Each structure stands twice: as C-alpha cells, then as structure tokens.
Amino acid sequence: MTGSARGRRTKEAEMYVVAKHAIQDPRTAFPRGERLQTGDGAPEGVRVLQFYPSTDASQVVCLWESPSLATVQEYVDAALGDSSTNTFFEVAAEPAFSERPLGLATVPMRHRREAASQ
C-alpha cells in the first residue's frame, strides 16, 4: 500500500484499529468484554466505536479509535486474558468507508439495560 493510501491520522482520531477476537470461553469473554465496551479503565484516547459479535458467540470484531495499535492491544489483551485469541490491525483510513447499518444500536447493551431499568 502506498504511503498516501495508508492514511494514518484523521481529524476524528489518531488512528482506527480493528480487533478480531476468536472466543475461547464465551462465558468469560463476554462479561470481560462489557468493560471494554463501556470504556472501564481505558487508556487516554482509546474508545471502542463498533462491536460485532457472531450469532454463535465464537467471534467478535471491534473497531477502535486510539493513539496507537499497541495501546488498544495492551488494553484488550489484559481485559480478555485467555478467554479470547486476539489479532489487531491498523485501518487504512483514506480508502476506508463506513455507514451505520440500520437496526443496530448506537450504545452498548449494558447502557441500554441500565437505561431501561431507570
């Protein structure tokens, strides 16, 4: 990929990082993952933007904004531990595109449950 296509920095975030999770233990991984979704203990500038679990709970793909790939990797690996095998890559921001699919929530499930109980 050429340097111009790599597009490391955008106006919105220093970089975008995709985390791909191969879930080893769903009963452990998903409760741990809720902390990631809500940003509990997240490093400065790290925020999950999208969360896509598979219907069989064997895989999850997430999109993050972060100052670096290493920052996301350290945060996610520490939170999920051995409940998931994780791989990461930096998104080539310039050629990438995104549109919010209809029917998907805009906040994590934990926040929706808390709002419903109030």
Side-chain angles (χ1 to χ4, degrees), residues 37-100:
Q37 292 175 37
T38 59
D40 293 350
E44 181 72 29
V46 173
R47 183 170 73 109
V48 67
L49 302 173
Q50 297 175 348
F51 170 76
Y52 298 110
S54 65
T55 56
D56 66 0
S58 68
Q59 300 178 68
V60 175
V61 175
C62 299
L63 177 67
W64 294 81
E65 64 181 5
S66 176
S68 73
L69 185 146
T71 305
V72 172
Q73 184 171 5
E74 290 167 11
Y75 175 53
V76 170
D77 285 346
L80 294 178
D82 62 359
S83 68
S84 173
T85 302
N86 310 307
T87 58
F88 304 85
F89 67 86
E90 179 183 347
V91 173
E94 187 176 323
F97 71 93
S98 174
E99 186 173 324
R100 185 168 116 29

Short mmCIF file of all heavy atoms in Angstrom, two decimals, residues 37-100:
data_model
loop_
_atom_site.label_atom_id
_atom_site.label_comp_id
_atom_site.label_asym_id
_atom_site.label_seq_id
_atom_site.Cartn_x
_atom_site.Cartn_y
_atom_site.Cartn_z
N GLN A 37 -16.44 -2.45 26.21
CA GLN A 37 -17.48 -1.71 25.50
C GLN A 37 -17.82 -0.40 26.19
O GLN A 37 -18.13 0.59 25.52
CB GLN A 37 -18.75 -2.55 25.40
CG GLN A 37 -18.62 -3.75 24.50
CD GLN A 37 -19.86 -4.60 24.54
OE1 GLN A 37 -20.97 -4.09 24.62
NE2 GLN A 37 -19.69 -5.90 24.47
N THR A 38 -17.77 -0.38 27.51
CA THR A 38 -18.12 0.83 28.25
C THR A 38 -16.92 1.70 28.57
O THR A 38 -17.05 2.77 29.15
CB THR A 38 -18.87 0.48 29.55
OG1 THR A 38 -18.04 -0.36 30.35
CG2 THR A 38 -20.19 -0.21 29.25
N GLY A 39 -15.72 1.22 28.21
CA GLY A 39 -14.51 2.02 28.41
C GLY A 39 -13.96 1.99 29.81
O GLY A 39 -13.09 2.81 30.14
N ASP A 40 -14.40 1.05 30.64
CA ASP A 40 -13.87 0.96 32.01
C ASP A 40 -12.36 0.74 31.97
O ASP A 40 -11.88 -0.24 31.42
CB ASP A 40 -14.53 -0.20 32.77
CG ASP A 40 -16.01 0.01 33.03
OD1 ASP A 40 -16.50 1.14 32.79
OD2 ASP A 40 -16.67 -0.93 33.48
N GLY A 41 -11.62 1.67 32.55
CA GLY A 41 -10.16 1.56 32.62
C GLY A 41 -9.44 1.79 31.31
O GLY A 41 -8.25 1.48 31.20
N ALA A 42 -10.12 2.35 30.33
CA ALA A 42 -9.48 2.58 29.03
C ALA A 42 -8.39 3.63 29.13
O ALA A 42 -8.54 4.63 29.83
CB ALA A 42 -10.52 3.03 28.00
N PRO A 43 -7.29 3.42 28.41
CA PRO A 43 -6.25 4.44 28.36
C PRO A 43 -6.77 5.72 27.69
O PRO A 43 -7.74 5.67 26.92
CB PRO A 43 -5.15 3.80 27.50
CG PRO A 43 -5.45 2.34 27.50
CD PRO A 43 -6.93 2.22 27.67
N GLU A 44 -6.11 6.80 27.94
CA GLU A 44 -6.46 8.09 27.34
C GLU A 44 -6.51 7.97 25.82
O GLU A 44 -5.60 7.42 25.20
CB GLU A 44 -5.41 9.14 27.73
CG GLU A 44 -5.69 10.52 27.18
CD GLU A 44 -6.86 11.20 27.87
OE1 GLU A 44 -7.13 10.92 29.04
OE2 GLU A 44 -7.52 12.02 27.19
N GLY A 45 -7.60 8.43 25.22
CA GLY A 45 -7.74 8.45 23.77
C GLY A 45 -8.19 7.15 23.14
O GLY A 45 -8.28 7.05 21.93
N VAL A 46 -8.47 6.12 23.95
CA VAL A 46 -8.90 4.82 23.43
C VAL A 46 -10.39 4.66 23.63
O VAL A 46 -10.89 4.81 24.74
CB VAL A 46 -8.14 3.66 24.11
CG1 VAL A 46 -8.70 2.32 23.69
CG2 VAL A 46 -6.66 3.75 23.81
N ARG A 47 -11.10 4.34 22.54
CA ARG A 47 -12.55 4.20 22.62
C ARG A 47 -13.02 3.21 21.56
O ARG A 47 -12.61 3.27 20.42
CB ARG A 47 -13.20 5.56 22.37
CG ARG A 47 -14.70 5.58 22.49
CD ARG A 47 -15.22 7.01 22.45
NE ARG A 47 -15.15 7.57 21.14
CZ ARG A 47 -16.20 7.83 20.36
NH1 ARG A 47 -17.42 7.58 20.79
NH2 ARG A 47 -16.05 8.37 19.18
N VAL A 48 -13.88 2.28 21.98
CA VAL A 48 -14.46 1.34 21.03
C VAL A 48 -15.61 2.04 20.31
O VAL A 48 -16.42 2.74 20.94
CB VAL A 48 -14.91 0.02 21.69
CG1 VAL A 48 -16.07 0.21 22.63
CG2 VAL A 48 -15.22 -1.04 20.65
N LEU A 49 -15.67 1.90 19.01
CA LEU A 49 -16.70 2.54 18.20
C LEU A 49 -17.76 1.57 17.71
O LEU A 49 -18.92 1.94 17.55
CB LEU A 49 -16.06 3.22 16.98
CG LEU A 49 -14.99 4.27 17.27
CD1 LEU A 49 -14.33 4.71 15.98
CD2 LEU A 49 -15.60 5.43 18.02
N GLN A 50 -17.33 0.33 17.43
CA GLN A 50 -18.25 -0.66 16.88
C GLN A 50 -17.94 -2.02 17.48
O GLN A 50 -16.77 -2.34 17.74
CB GLN A 50 -18.15 -0.72 15.36
CG GLN A 50 -18.56 0.59 14.71
CD GLN A 50 -18.35 0.59 13.21
OE1 GLN A 50 -17.71 -0.28 12.64
NE2 GLN A 50 -18.91 1.60 12.56
N PHE A 51 -18.99 -2.83 17.66
CA PHE A 51 -18.89 -4.16 18.26
C PHE A 51 -19.79 -5.10 17.47
O PHE A 51 -20.99 -4.87 17.40
CB PHE A 51 -19.34 -4.07 19.72
CG PHE A 51 -19.51 -5.39 20.42
CD1 PHE A 51 -18.41 -6.12 20.83
CD2 PHE A 51 -20.78 -5.89 20.68
CE1 PHE A 51 -18.58 -7.33 21.49
CE2 PHE A 51 -20.96 -7.09 21.33
CZ PHE A 51 -19.85 -7.82 21.74
N TYR A 52 -19.20 -6.12 16.86
CA TYR A 52 -19.94 -7.06 16.02
C TYR A 52 -19.69 -8.50 16.46
O TYR A 52 -18.73 -9.13 16.02
CB TYR A 52 -19.55 -6.91 14.55
CG TYR A 52 -19.87 -5.54 13.98
CD1 TYR A 52 -18.87 -4.65 13.66
CD2 TYR A 52 -21.19 -5.17 13.76
CE1 TYR A 52 -19.16 -3.40 13.13
CE2 TYR A 52 -21.49 -3.92 13.23
CZ TYR A 52 -20.47 -3.04 12.92
OH TYR A 52 -20.76 -1.82 12.40
N PRO A 53 -20.55 -9.05 17.33
CA PRO A 53 -20.41 -10.45 17.72
C PRO A 53 -21.08 -11.37 16.71
O PRO A 53 -22.10 -11.01 16.11
CB PRO A 53 -21.13 -10.51 19.06
CG PRO A 53 -22.20 -9.46 18.93
CD PRO A 53 -21.61 -8.36 18.07
N SER A 54 -20.53 -12.55 16.52
CA SER A 54 -21.17 -13.54 15.64
C SER A 54 -22.36 -14.15 16.38
O SER A 54 -22.43 -14.13 17.61
CB SER A 54 -20.18 -14.63 15.24
OG SER A 54 -19.78 -15.38 16.36
N THR A 55 -23.30 -14.68 15.63
CA THR A 55 -24.51 -15.24 16.24
C THR A 55 -24.21 -16.46 17.10
O THR A 55 -24.95 -16.74 18.04
CB THR A 55 -25.55 -15.63 15.17
OG1 THR A 55 -24.94 -16.53 14.24
CG2 THR A 55 -26.07 -14.40 14.45
N ASP A 56 -23.11 -17.15 16.83
CA ASP A 56 -22.77 -18.33 17.64
C ASP A 56 -21.79 -18.01 18.77
O ASP A 56 -21.32 -18.90 19.46
CB ASP A 56 -22.24 -19.47 16.77
CG ASP A 56 -20.91 -19.14 16.11
OD1 ASP A 56 -20.36 -18.03 16.31
OD2 ASP A 56 -20.40 -20.01 15.38
N ALA A 57 -21.46 -16.73 18.96
CA ALA A 57 -20.57 -16.26 20.03
C ALA A 57 -19.14 -16.78 19.91
O ALA A 57 -18.39 -16.72 20.87
CB ALA A 57 -21.15 -16.58 21.41
N SER A 58 -18.74 -17.22 18.73
CA SER A 58 -17.38 -17.74 18.56
C SER A 58 -16.39 -16.68 18.10
O SER A 58 -15.18 -16.87 18.21
CB SER A 58 -17.37 -18.89 17.55
OG SER A 58 -17.67 -18.41 16.24
N GLN A 59 -16.91 -15.55 17.59
CA GLN A 59 -16.05 -14.49 17.08
C GLN A 59 -16.66 -13.12 17.36
O GLN A 59 -17.88 -12.99 17.44
CB GLN A 59 -15.88 -14.63 15.57
CG GLN A 59 -15.26 -15.92 15.14
CD GLN A 59 -15.17 -15.99 13.63
OE1 GLN A 59 -14.41 -15.24 13.02
NE2 GLN A 59 -15.96 -16.86 13.04
N VAL A 60 -15.79 -12.14 17.47
CA VAL A 60 -16.21 -10.75 17.60
C VAL A 60 -15.22 -9.89 16.83
O VAL A 60 -14.02 -10.17 16.83
CB VAL A 60 -16.24 -10.29 19.08
CG1 VAL A 60 -16.57 -8.81 19.19
CG2 VAL A 60 -17.21 -11.12 19.90
N VAL A 61 -15.73 -8.85 16.18
CA VAL A 61 -14.89 -7.86 15.51
C VAL A 61 -15.27 -6.50 16.09
O VAL A 61 -16.46 -6.18 16.21
CB VAL A 61 -15.08 -7.88 13.98
CG1 VAL A 61 -14.29 -6.76 13.32
CG2 VAL A 61 -14.70 -9.23 13.41
N CYS A 62 -14.26 -5.72 16.44
CA CYS A 62 -14.49 -4.39 17.01
C CYS A 62 -13.64 -3.36 16.28
O CYS A 62 -12.54 -3.65 15.84
CB CYS A 62 -14.10 -4.36 18.49
SG CYS A 62 -15.04 -5.49 19.52
N LEU A 63 -14.17 -2.14 16.21
CA LEU A 63 -13.43 -1.02 15.66
C LEU A 63 -13.14 -0.05 16.79
O LEU A 63 -14.06 0.32 17.55
CB LEU A 63 -14.22 -0.31 14.55
CG LEU A 63 -13.56 0.93 13.96
CD1 LEU A 63 -12.30 0.56 13.19
CD2 LEU A 63 -14.54 1.68 13.06
N TRP A 64 -11.88 0.35 16.91
CA TRP A 64 -11.42 1.25 17.96
C TRP A 64 -10.82 2.51 17.36
O TRP A 64 -10.29 2.48 16.26
CB TRP A 64 -10.32 0.57 18.79
CG TRP A 64 -10.77 -0.61 19.56
CD1 TRP A 64 -10.95 -1.89 19.11
CD2 TRP A 64 -11.12 -0.63 20.93
NE1 TRP A 64 -11.37 -2.70 20.12
CE2 TRP A 64 -11.48 -1.96 21.26
CE3 TRP A 64 -11.15 0.34 21.94
CZ2 TRP A 64 -11.87 -2.33 22.54
CZ3 TRP A 64 -11.53 -0.04 23.21
CH2 TRP A 64 -11.89 -1.35 23.51
N GLU A 65 -10.86 3.60 18.14
CA GLU A 65 -10.02 4.75 17.83
C GLU A 65 -9.00 4.83 18.95
O GLU A 65 -9.30 4.51 20.11
CB GLU A 65 -10.83 6.05 17.70
CG GLU A 65 -11.54 6.52 18.93
CD GLU A 65 -12.33 7.80 18.69
OE1 GLU A 65 -12.42 8.28 17.55
OE2 GLU A 65 -12.87 8.31 19.67
N SER A 66 -7.78 5.21 18.59
CA SER A 66 -6.69 5.14 19.56
C SER A 66 -5.48 5.92 19.08
O SER A 66 -5.30 6.11 17.88
CB SER A 66 -6.29 3.67 19.74
OG SER A 66 -5.19 3.54 20.60
N PRO A 67 -4.61 6.32 20.01
CA PRO A 67 -3.35 6.92 19.61
C PRO A 67 -2.41 5.92 18.94
O PRO A 67 -1.55 6.30 18.15
CB PRO A 67 -2.74 7.42 20.91
CG PRO A 67 -3.81 7.37 21.93
CD PRO A 67 -4.82 6.38 21.46
N SER A 68 -2.57 4.60 19.26
CA SER A 68 -1.69 3.59 18.66
C SER A 68 -2.33 2.21 18.70
O SER A 68 -3.19 1.94 19.53
CB SER A 68 -0.34 3.54 19.39
OG SER A 68 -0.49 2.92 20.65
N LEU A 69 -1.89 1.34 17.82
CA LEU A 69 -2.34 -0.05 17.82
C LEU A 69 -1.92 -0.73 19.12
O LEU A 69 -2.70 -1.45 19.73
CB LEU A 69 -1.75 -0.79 16.61
CG LEU A 69 -2.23 -2.23 16.42
CD1 LEU A 69 -2.33 -2.55 14.95
CD2 LEU A 69 -1.33 -3.21 17.12
N ALA A 70 -0.70 -0.50 19.55
CA ALA A 70 -0.19 -1.14 20.77
C ALA A 70 -1.04 -0.80 21.99
O ALA A 70 -1.24 -1.66 22.86
CB ALA A 70 1.27 -0.75 21.00
N THR A 71 -1.55 0.41 22.07
CA THR A 71 -2.37 0.81 23.21
C THR A 71 -3.66 0.01 23.25
O THR A 71 -4.07 -0.47 24.31
CB THR A 71 -2.68 2.33 23.15
OG1 THR A 71 -1.44 3.04 23.07
CG2 THR A 71 -3.44 2.79 24.36
N VAL A 72 -4.31 -0.17 22.11
CA VAL A 72 -5.53 -0.99 22.05
C VAL A 72 -5.19 -2.43 22.39
O VAL A 72 -5.87 -3.08 23.19
CB VAL A 72 -6.20 -0.92 20.66
CG1 VAL A 72 -7.35 -1.91 20.55
CG2 VAL A 72 -6.68 0.48 20.37
N GLN A 73 -4.13 -2.95 21.79
CA GLN A 73 -3.76 -4.35 22.00
C GLN A 73 -3.49 -4.64 23.48
O GLN A 73 -3.98 -5.64 24.02
CB GLN A 73 -2.54 -4.69 21.17
CG GLN A 73 -2.15 -6.15 21.26
CD GLN A 73 -1.07 -6.53 20.27
OE1 GLN A 73 -0.53 -5.70 19.55
NE2 GLN A 73 -0.76 -7.80 20.22
N GLU A 74 -2.75 -3.78 24.15
CA GLU A 74 -2.46 -4.00 25.56
C GLU A 74 -3.72 -3.95 26.41
O GLU A 74 -3.92 -4.79 27.30
CB GLU A 74 -1.45 -2.95 26.04
CG GLU A 74 -0.06 -3.14 25.46
CD GLU A 74 0.85 -1.95 25.67
OE1 GLU A 74 0.50 -1.03 26.45
OE2 GLU A 74 1.93 -1.92 25.04
N TYR A 75 -4.60 -3.00 26.14
CA TYR A 75 -5.84 -2.85 26.89
C TYR A 75 -6.76 -4.06 26.69
O TYR A 75 -7.26 -4.65 27.64
CB TYR A 75 -6.53 -1.55 26.46
CG TYR A 75 -7.88 -1.28 27.04
CD1 TYR A 75 -8.12 -1.30 28.41
CD2 TYR A 75 -8.95 -0.96 26.20
CE1 TYR A 75 -9.37 -1.03 28.94
CE2 TYR A 75 -10.22 -0.69 26.72
CZ TYR A 75 -10.41 -0.73 28.08
OH TYR A 75 -11.66 -0.45 28.60
N VAL A 76 -6.96 -4.46 25.44
CA VAL A 76 -7.86 -5.56 25.12
C VAL A 76 -7.30 -6.89 25.63
O VAL A 76 -8.02 -7.67 26.26
CB VAL A 76 -8.12 -5.62 23.59
CG1 VAL A 76 -8.84 -6.90 23.20
CG2 VAL A 76 -8.92 -4.39 23.16
N ASP A 77 -6.03 -7.15 25.37
CA ASP A 77 -5.43 -8.41 25.82
C ASP A 77 -5.48 -8.54 27.34
O ASP A 77 -5.77 -9.62 27.86
CB ASP A 77 -3.99 -8.54 25.33
CG ASP A 77 -3.87 -8.89 23.84
OD1 ASP A 77 -4.89 -9.29 23.23
OD2 ASP A 77 -2.76 -8.75 23.30
N ALA A 78 -5.23 -7.46 28.05
CA ALA A 78 -5.28 -7.50 29.52
C ALA A 78 -6.70 -7.77 30.01
O ALA A 78 -6.91 -8.53 30.96
CB ALA A 78 -4.75 -6.20 30.10
N ALA A 79 -7.69 -7.17 29.35
CA ALA A 79 -9.09 -7.33 29.79
C ALA A 79 -9.63 -8.73 29.48
O ALA A 79 -10.31 -9.33 30.30
CB ALA A 79 -9.97 -6.27 29.13
N LEU A 80 -9.33 -9.25 28.30
CA LEU A 80 -9.90 -10.53 27.89
C LEU A 80 -9.10 -11.74 28.34
O LEU A 80 -9.64 -12.84 28.46
CB LEU A 80 -10.09 -10.57 26.37
CG LEU A 80 -11.11 -9.59 25.81
CD1 LEU A 80 -11.17 -9.68 24.30
CD2 LEU A 80 -12.48 -9.82 26.43
N GLY A 81 -7.81 -11.55 28.59
CA GLY A 81 -6.97 -12.65 29.05
C GLY A 81 -7.04 -13.84 28.11
O GLY A 81 -7.11 -13.69 26.90
N ASP A 82 -7.08 -15.05 28.68
CA ASP A 82 -7.07 -16.26 27.87
C ASP A 82 -8.46 -16.67 27.38
O ASP A 82 -8.62 -17.73 26.79
CB ASP A 82 -6.41 -17.41 28.62
CG ASP A 82 -7.15 -17.79 29.89
OD1 ASP A 82 -8.18 -17.15 30.23
OD2 ASP A 82 -6.70 -18.74 30.56
N SER A 83 -9.46 -15.82 27.58
CA SER A 83 -10.81 -16.14 27.11
C SER A 83 -10.98 -15.91 25.61
O SER A 83 -11.97 -16.32 25.03
CB SER A 83 -11.86 -15.32 27.87
OG SER A 83 -11.76 -13.95 27.55
N SER A 84 -9.97 -15.27 24.99
CA SER A 84 -10.05 -14.93 23.58
C SER A 84 -8.65 -14.83 23.00
O SER A 84 -7.72 -14.37 23.65
CB SER A 84 -10.76 -13.57 23.44
OG SER A 84 -10.74 -13.11 22.12
N THR A 85 -8.52 -15.27 21.74
CA THR A 85 -7.28 -15.05 20.99
C THR A 85 -7.54 -13.85 20.09
O THR A 85 -8.49 -13.85 19.30
CB THR A 85 -6.92 -16.29 20.15
OG1 THR A 85 -6.79 -17.41 21.02
CG2 THR A 85 -5.64 -16.07 19.38
N ASN A 86 -6.71 -12.82 20.22
CA ASN A 86 -6.98 -11.54 19.57
C ASN A 86 -5.92 -11.20 18.53
O ASN A 86 -4.74 -11.43 18.76
CB ASN A 86 -7.00 -10.43 20.64
CG ASN A 86 -7.89 -10.79 21.80
OD1 ASN A 86 -9.05 -11.13 21.62
ND2 ASN A 86 -7.34 -10.77 22.99
N THR A 87 -6.37 -10.65 17.41
CA THR A 87 -5.46 -10.10 16.41
C THR A 87 -5.92 -8.67 16.11
O THR A 87 -7.10 -8.34 16.25
CB THR A 87 -5.45 -10.94 15.11
OG1 THR A 87 -6.78 -11.02 14.59
CG2 THR A 87 -4.91 -12.34 15.37
N PHE A 88 -4.97 -7.85 15.70
CA PHE A 88 -5.23 -6.42 15.53
C PHE A 88 -4.60 -5.94 14.23
O PHE A 88 -3.57 -6.45 13.81
CB PHE A 88 -4.61 -5.63 16.69
CG PHE A 88 -5.09 -6.07 18.04
CD1 PHE A 88 -4.50 -7.13 18.70
CD2 PHE A 88 -6.16 -5.42 18.65
CE1 PHE A 88 -4.95 -7.55 19.94
CE2 PHE A 88 -6.62 -5.84 19.89
CZ PHE A 88 -6.01 -6.91 20.53
N PHE A 89 -5.23 -4.92 13.62
CA PHE A 89 -4.58 -4.24 12.51
C PHE A 89 -5.05 -2.79 12.47
O PHE A 89 -6.15 -2.46 12.88
CB PHE A 89 -4.80 -4.94 11.17
CG PHE A 89 -6.22 -4.95 10.64
CD1 PHE A 89 -6.71 -3.88 9.90
CD2 PHE A 89 -7.05 -6.04 10.88
CE1 PHE A 89 -8.01 -3.91 9.39
CE2 PHE A 89 -8.33 -6.07 10.38
CZ PHE A 89 -8.82 -5.00 9.64
N GLU A 90 -4.14 -1.94 11.99
CA GLU A 90 -4.46 -0.53 11.80
C GLU A 90 -5.25 -0.39 10.50
O GLU A 90 -4.91 -0.98 9.48
CB GLU A 90 -3.18 0.29 11.71
CG GLU A 90 -3.43 1.77 11.48
CD GLU A 90 -2.15 2.57 11.34
OE1 GLU A 90 -1.07 2.06 11.64
OE2 GLU A 90 -2.26 3.73 10.88
N VAL A 91 -6.30 0.40 10.54
CA VAL A 91 -7.15 0.64 9.37
C VAL A 91 -6.48 1.69 8.48
O VAL A 91 -6.00 2.72 8.97
CB VAL A 91 -8.54 1.14 9.81
CG1 VAL A 91 -9.39 1.57 8.62
CG2 VAL A 91 -9.25 0.07 10.63
N ALA A 92 -6.46 1.42 7.21
CA ALA A 92 -6.01 2.40 6.22
C ALA A 92 -7.15 3.40 6.07
O ALA A 92 -8.13 3.14 5.36
CB ALA A 92 -5.67 1.73 4.90
N ALA A 93 -7.07 4.52 6.75
CA ALA A 93 -8.19 5.45 6.87
C ALA A 93 -8.62 6.08 5.56
O ALA A 93 -9.81 6.28 5.32
CB ALA A 93 -7.85 6.55 7.89
N GLU A 94 -7.68 6.39 4.68
CA GLU A 94 -8.04 7.09 3.46
C GLU A 94 -8.98 6.29 2.56
O GLU A 94 -10.01 6.80 2.14
CB GLU A 94 -6.79 7.52 2.70
CG GLU A 94 -7.12 8.40 1.51
CD GLU A 94 -5.86 8.90 0.83
OE1 GLU A 94 -4.88 9.19 1.52
OE2 GLU A 94 -5.88 8.99 -0.41
N PRO A 95 -8.70 5.03 2.24
CA PRO A 95 -9.63 4.29 1.38
C PRO A 95 -10.82 3.67 2.12
O PRO A 95 -11.77 3.21 1.49
CB PRO A 95 -8.75 3.19 0.77
CG PRO A 95 -7.71 2.95 1.80
CD PRO A 95 -7.45 4.29 2.44
N ALA A 96 -10.79 3.67 3.44
CA ALA A 96 -11.87 3.04 4.22
C ALA A 96 -13.14 3.88 4.15
O ALA A 96 -13.10 5.09 3.90
CB ALA A 96 -11.43 2.88 5.67
N PHE A 97 -14.29 3.23 4.37
CA PHE A 97 -15.55 3.95 4.48
C PHE A 97 -16.44 3.24 5.47
O PHE A 97 -16.23 2.08 5.80
CB PHE A 97 -16.25 4.11 3.12
CG PHE A 97 -16.82 2.83 2.58
CD1 PHE A 97 -18.15 2.48 2.84
CD2 PHE A 97 -16.05 1.98 1.83
CE1 PHE A 97 -18.67 1.30 2.35
CE2 PHE A 97 -16.56 0.81 1.32
CZ PHE A 97 -17.88 0.46 1.59
N SER A 98 -17.45 3.96 5.96
CA SER A 98 -18.35 3.39 6.95
C SER A 98 -19.69 4.09 6.88
O SER A 98 -19.77 5.29 6.67
CB SER A 98 -17.75 3.57 8.35
OG SER A 98 -18.66 3.14 9.33
N GLU A 99 -20.72 3.31 7.04
CA GLU A 99 -22.07 3.84 7.16
C GLU A 99 -22.75 3.03 8.24
O GLU A 99 -22.62 1.81 8.28
CB GLU A 99 -22.83 3.71 5.84
CG GLU A 99 -24.19 4.38 5.88
CD GLU A 99 -24.86 4.38 4.51
OE1 GLU A 99 -24.17 4.52 3.50
OE2 GLU A 99 -26.08 4.22 4.48
N ARG A 100 -23.46 3.67 9.14
CA ARG A 100 -24.09 2.94 10.23
C ARG A 100 -25.25 2.12 9.70
O ARG A 100 -26.22 2.66 9.17
CB ARG A 100 -24.58 3.91 11.30
CG ARG A 100 -25.13 3.20 12.53
CD ARG A 100 -25.32 4.12 13.66
NE ARG A 100 -26.59 4.41 14.23
CZ ARG A 100 -27.68 3.68 14.29
NH1 ARG A 100 -27.74 2.55 13.70
NH2 ARG A 100 -28.75 4.08 14.91
#
